[in-house]
Amino acid sequence: KAGVTQTPRYLIKTRGQQVTLSCSPISGHRSVSWYQQTPGQGLQFLFEYFSETQRNKGNFPGRFSGRQFSNSRSEMNVSTLELGDSALYLCASSIDGTGVSGANVLTFGAGSRLTVL
Amino acid sequence: KNQVEQSPQSLIILEGKNCTLQCNYTVSPFSNLRWYKQDTGRGPVSLTIMTFSENTKSNGRYTATLDADTKQSSLHITASQLSDSASYICVVSAKGSGYALNFGKGTSLLVTP
């Protein structure tokens, strides 16, 4: 059974550029959530998608956006990159529609490490 | 404000020794508590999930305990191995609508030969 796949694994951008990250969840998982992880702040929730709808959103500026496709694959986009956006971006999938507050295991991908110069 | 505090921030132990990591939370109303292990350069992997009624759960050499009254959890690692070197993250869920996961900043564990 394939796990959660994130692409690309590493990327370098410069300030002002934009970036799109991709996440393919485990087959059958309908919920995909995104997180930013930095050494100082730890894991921070960005947003969660279920059945192509953004169901929950964290406290990040509008430069961070996402979407989910009918096959549950998800993308997140960061526009007008800032140095502080350098981080490991993780996505996670879970099986059903009760949401991440239920006792559903989140399965994480390996992450996309973004460096902004 | 819902918060999750983990201690220690980092820990170094000798291979074969036991260790205990702590997680204190103020999340309310409580739904469940999860421990994740994150190897360097990888995504977190779930170790245990505990609900309000569970006070102990084991996964191999990992044993998590939960005291819902004092809002504390611990993760005990027995007979540590070099492969246990990782960051251990405590995540507490709150009941209710909307996104309700609260993350600790993790404990970085290094097991040395």
Side-chain angles (χ1 to χ4, degrees):
Chain A
K1 185 176 180 181
V4 178
T5 303
Q6 290 189 246
T7 57
R9 288 292 314 278
Y10 303 92
L11 65 166
I12 300 174
K13 295 285 187 178
T14 57
R15 280 180 297 176
Q17 288 186 310
Q18 72 163 9
V19 65
T20 298
L21 310 178
S22 178
C23 174
S24 294
I26 289 174
S27 178
H29 284 195
R30 297 168 65 190
S31 171
V32 174
S33 49
W34 288 90
Y35 306 82
Q36 182 193 68
Q37 187 176 36
T38 58
Q41 296 298 319
L43 276 163
Q44 294 183 283
F45 170 67
L46 282 157
F47 28 67
E48 185 224 357
Y49 286 87
F50 179 78
S51 293
E52 302 179 65
T53 300
Q54 185 181 88
R55 188 162 57 178
N56 294 290
K57 189 177 188 301
N59 296 321
F60 277 80
R63 299 185 298 107
F64 293 81
S65 63
R67 59 178 175 168
Q68 187 180 35
F69 301 95
S70 58
N71 61 359
S72 292
R73 189 177 71 86
S74 178
E75 290 181 347
M76 68 162 282
N77 183 274
V78 187
S79 62
T80 319
L81 285 166
E82 301 176 359
L83 295 178
D85 297 333
S86 294
L88 180 67
Y89 289 88
L90 292 160
C91 86
S93 71
S94 66
I95 195 166
D96 67 17
T98 57
V100 293
S101 61
N104 298 313
V105 175
L106 289 178
T107 302
F108 285 86
S112 294
R113 183 164 295 282
L114 170 65
T115 301
V116 182
L117 302 176
Chain B
K1 180 181 177 182
N2 288 334
Q3 287 188 311
V4 178
E5 301 286 343
Q6 291 188 243
S7 62
Q9 187 174 1
S10 61
L11 182 62
I12 302 174
I13 62 173
L14 289 173
E15 185 179 13
K17 298 295 186 182
N18 303 334
C19 68
T20 300
L21 314 180
Q22 298 290 343
C23 174
N24 296 337
Y25 61 92
T26 60
V27 177
S28 182
F30 176 84
S31 175
N32 60 75
L33 185 146
R34 318 167 189 217
W35 283 95
Y36 283 87
K37 176 188 178 189
Q38 185 176 19
D39 293 316
T40 301
R42 308 292 297 273
V45 174
S46 178
L47 293 174
T48 64
I49 298 179
M50 288 187 293
T51 58
F52 185 87
S53 59
E54 299 173 299
N55 53 26
T56 301
K57 186 166 278 191
S58 292
N59 179 356
R61 294 180 297 101
Y62 300 99
T63 299
T65 64
L66 173 65
D67 186 333
D69 291 331
T70 62
K71 299 186 177 181
Q72 296 180 325
S73 175
S74 63
L75 180 69
H76 186 74
I77 304 175
T78 303
S80 61
Q81 300 176 358
L82 298 179
S83 60
D84 292 330
S85 296
S87 179
Y88 292 84
I89 302 170
C90 175
V91 186
V92 184
S93 296
K95 293 180 182 177
S97 62
Y99 193 82
L101 283 187
N102 302 275
F103 295 91
K105 292 187 178 181
T107 291
S108 178
L109 173 66
L110 177 62
V111 181
T112 63

